[in-house]
Amino acid sequence: MSKKATEFQKKAMSRMFRGTGVFKPLNTGWIDGHVACVREWVANLYFYRKDGTTIMIDAGYHYDRLEEKMGWLGIDPAGIRHILLTHQDTDHVGAVEVDSPGLFGDATLYVGEIENRYLTGEVRRRGGYRLYKLPQVSIPNQKVLLQDGQTFYIDSIKIECFLVPGHTWGHMVYLIDDAWLFTGDTIWLGADGGYSFISGLAEDNRLAVRSLTALEKRLQARNLQPVFLTGHTGLTKDFRFAFAHRDKCCSPFTYKKAYDPGAPCDAYDESDDTEEKARATVGRAVGK
């Protein structure tokens, strides 16, 4: 499924969203001493490195340049043994689907127990305002199923799971070492702050909005101020900005405040994502 779905998205969605100013992924590079990202057209997948261990957060599209771009960062796909999945959509799991190139065949996948019901076929993913069903995703890797509020360690890396249903029924976000929050498709950062993700792609928009509000409260209750890293709209360190419009969904065709004039006209154009720029950030990496 991943190869076909990837090709469809690249062609159809680049035309659909061109000029809407909503996609603004980070270019490939090391963000700081622990976190790196790879850009795959409109999407980012992330890596977290600490004390010699590197884990991966989401697996991106069925993307033929992933190994190349990981090389720009000094990361060997063969060294990835653990991948956290926020949810099962193709732009987040394509590189581990059964028809993928198999770069991560030996990696253990961590996925929410509820989200895994899509993978078993118990539930079917719906898109386009729930008007059609997407094909079932098939992933052969060994999996560890996670529950809301669960905390676990991969070597010295602390990982906490927060269930945020709405975009999908079992969407998870991951708080790593109490400092970095990988939000997948939970938060959409517009020019004027964060929204719930694109309305037309959600299983339940009302639930997604409630989940975003609940996430804010959970973080506030513990006085946590993480860096928010999103799947498609970059990052922010500003807590208030991240939740500025938690009661609204991003609707790029009707709600113009979600528009960001700084976003590329067509984020499927990767001409500004270069090896030279990525390699210039490698010196930030620690724990090699």
Side-chain angles (χ1 to χ4, degrees), residues 181-230:
L181 188 70
F182 295 89
T183 66
D185 289 355
T186 300
I187 297 176
W188 190 278
L189 298 177
D192 60 345
Y195 296 76
S196 181
F197 200 75
I198 295 178
S199 55
L201 304 178
E203 294 278 14
D204 186 326
N205 281 304
R206 292 182 180 179
L207 178 58
V209 167
R210 293 198 300 271
S211 292
L212 192 54
T213 299
L215 177 63
E216 179 188 31
K217 291 180 178 178
R218 292 176 83 164
L219 297 174
Q220 286 177 327
R222 293 169 52 185
N223 196 30
L224 292 169
Q225 298 281 329
V227 179
F228 296 84
L229 301 112
T230 74

Side-chain angles (χ1 to χ4, degrees), residues 63-84:
Y63 183 73
D64 59 7
R65 298 185 65 194
L66 177 54
E67 185 172 17
E68 172 195 352
K69 289 189 177 183
M70 289 178 66
W72 299 354
L73 303 173
I75 300 174
D76 182 359
I80 300 297
R81 291 289 183 265
H82 307 276
I83 303 176
L84 310 180

Side-chain angles (χ1 to χ4, degrees), residues 104-120:
F104 311 105
D106 294 329
T108 297
L109 307 184
Y110 299 78
V111 62
E113 185 176 38
I114 296 173
E115 193 72 8
N116 189 58
R117 295 174 186 171
Y118 289 113
L119 306 181
T120 62

